[in-house]
Amino acid sequence: MNPPSLMQCLQWRNIDTELSAAEAQHSIGFGGHGTILFKADIKPDEYSILITDMSHCWFEQLTDEDIASRHKKLNPHVELPVSNLLSHLDSCMKPDAVSGIPSVKFSCREHNGQALLDVSFKVAKFPITWQFVGQPCEPEYTRDNLTVPLLLMVKEQQRIQQQLVRIISDKQKEIQDYRQQGFSLSRKNLRTKDFYENEFMKAQSTSKDFDKCVKVNANHISMSEPELSLYCEIMEKFSQLQESSPGVTPVSSPEKPTGRQTNLNEDVNQPGACQAAAAADPVDTETEKELVRRNELLKRTSDSKRNKTKQKMKKLF
């Protein structure tokens, strides 16, 4: 089961699930802390949600009747219209709620191949529980919506880095030119060291911050807001390119052949060859006439300029 293509451009959100030691044995997550990513499209009468632990993807889509039935089963003592329930769920899944509103709690585990994402929150002091039941997606979906986009994000970051390095290098040349002309800084603390790309990159690879970054994120992987935004930009661009591509039919292949098919091996100098082609296709004849007319016009213009140049040279000498 794969989500619709419209889910591709939605933004991933981070969840740190809360599980007991017993539940953790069957939990879904990565980084050793039960962290998962999800993207949800919640409307007044239906919702779609995609869940991933960076290795697998699960998807669920429910309409109002199924939502009402599940709500009655999970919260038998609380009557709540479907539209209100989905509105509260939408609020719970927002980034600010995911970041740590005390009344909202998440847990996620796997059961019989399904991903069960439980959300607990309160409505007018009444506790509400909701369970998303994600069905497994095809393995290709994980590749196309996680692995490939993440690699494209790395490529885009490298491109941006190269642009920044180029700007810094140009700025350094500009500063050096000012120095050579005798200009000086008004404050010495504004002076910076000269920038050399190779030395800078080498220093970063041996930096303590590099070790710290790998250590911290390996134990607690998540995406920051800029990274989530970049993911959306990558997927939107990828979707646009897919829509603009001609698909399996080559652009150069016409759907219906018109006129006479030209043989590339045919000798165009052969007597009568051009006349035969023109007779077979009147459009080609008109095109050839127009080309001949333009060539003659260009030739006359060129001859006129050449004659004027000769007359000017004669006057000079």
Side-chain angles (χ1 to χ4, degrees):
M1 182 179 184
N2 285 342
S5 57
L6 59 87
M7 293 288 292
Q8 292 180 346
C9 297
L10 295 180
Q11 198 173 59
W12 286 108
R13 297 298 180 191
N14 303 311
I15 290 180
D16 291 331
T17 59
E18 297 182 5
L19 296 171
S20 64
E23 292 173 328
Q25 297 179 359
H26 305 284
S27 66
I28 296 173
F30 55 88
H33 293 275
T35 302
I36 65 171
L37 297 177
F38 76 92
K39 55 172 71 175
D41 182 23
I42 301 178
K43 299 177 181 178
D45 57 351
E46 64 178 3
Y47 71 75
S48 302
I49 185 169
L50 180 66
I51 306 166
T52 181
D53 62 353
M54 301 297 285
S55 297
H56 309 86
C57 289
W58 296 266
F59 174 72
E60 183 184 41
Q61 187 174 31
L62 283 188
T63 56
D64 51 358
E65 293 183 1
D66 294 326
I67 293 171
S69 176
R70 186 178 297 179
H71 170 62
K72 187 175 181 180
K73 180 179 179 181
L74 294 172
N75 307 282
H77 303 295
V78 180
E79 293 185 2
L80 194 64
V82 169
S83 58
N84 289 356
L85 173 63
L86 291 176
S87 177
H88 286 293
L89 275 176
D90 191 28
S91 299
C92 291
M93 309 300 268
K94 295 294 184 184
D96 52 351
V98 173
S99 299
I101 290 182
S103 59
V104 181
K105 295 182 180 180
F106 298 91
S107 65
C108 193
R109 64 189 187 278
E110 185 176 7
H111 179 70
N112 294 332
Q114 299 173 328
L116 306 180
L117 174 59
D118 296 320
V119 185
S120 301
F121 56 97
K122 290 184 178 181
V123 176
K125 297 183 179 181
F126 290 98
I128 301 291
T129 299
W130 185 257
Q131 186 175 80
F132 296 99
V133 183
Q135 303 297 329
C137 301
E138 298 294 333
E140 292 79 8
Y141 192 84
T142 305
R143 177 199 64 198
D144 294 340
N145 290 269
L146 281 174
T147 308
V148 172
L150 289 174
L151 290 174
L152 291 175
M153 289 171 65
V154 173
K155 291 291 185 182
E156 175 60 11
Q157 292 287 9
Q158 288 179 336
R159 187 192 67 82
I160 295 173
Q161 176 182 297
Q162 290 172 357
Q163 292 290 335
L164 290 174
V165 167
R166 188 176 296 110
I167 292 173
I168 294 173
S169 299
D170 291 341
K171 284 292 181 184
Q172 181 167 303
K173 293 177 183 177
E174 182 180 347
I175 293 171
Q176 288 175 347
D177 185 67
Y178 289 146
R179 290 175 182 173
Q180 291 173 359
Q181 295 182 41
F183 291 94
S184 60
L185 291 171
S186 59
R187 288 178 292 173
K188 291 183 178 179
N189 63 332
L190 294 177
R191 188 181 182 94
T192 58
K193 296 181 180 179
D194 292 338
F195 176 78
Y196 300 100
E197 181 183 358
N198 293 335
E199 293 182 6
F200 174 78
M201 297 304 296
K202 185 177 180 180
Q204 295 305 307
S205 63
T206 57
S207 170
K208 292 182 179 179
D209 291 334
F210 179 48
D211 295 340
K212 181 180 178 181
C213 177
V214 173
K215 183 178 180 180
V216 171
N217 289 290
N219 292 328
H220 189 77
I221 299 175
S222 63
M223 285 190 182
S224 63
E225 283 300 316
E227 291 167 342
L228 292 168
S229 298
L230 178 58
Y231 174 89
C232 283
E233 292 172 7
I234 290 289
M235 295 306 294
E236 287 174 1
K237 179 63 66 175
F238 191 67
S239 179
Q240 291 172 4
L241 292 174
Q242 284 183 321
E243 290 177 0
S244 62
S245 64
V248 295
T249 305
V251 178
S252 58
S253 301
E255 295 181 0
K256 294 182 180 179
T258 57
R260 178 178 180 270
Q261 299 299 313
T262 303
N263 185 357
L264 296 179
N265 295 324
E266 182 179 18
D267 187 0
V268 294
N269 295 321
Q270 182 179 355
C274 293
Q275 290 83 348
D281 196 341
V283 178
D284 290 346
T285 303
E286 294 298 327
T287 303
E288 289 177 3
K289 287 181 179 180
E290 179 65 18
L291 290 174
V292 171
R293 188 186 68 79
R294 292 184 181 183
N295 288 334
E296 290 178 353
L297 181 60
L298 289 173
K299 185 178 180 181
R300 287 198 300 268
T301 305
S302 179
D303 291 341
S304 176
K305 289 182 178 179
R306 192 180 297 109
N307 291 333
K308 289 181 179 180
T309 303
K310 286 182 179 180
Q311 291 177 1
K312 288 181 180 180
M313 293 296 291
K314 287 179 179 181
K315 289 180 180 181
L316 289 174
F317 294 97

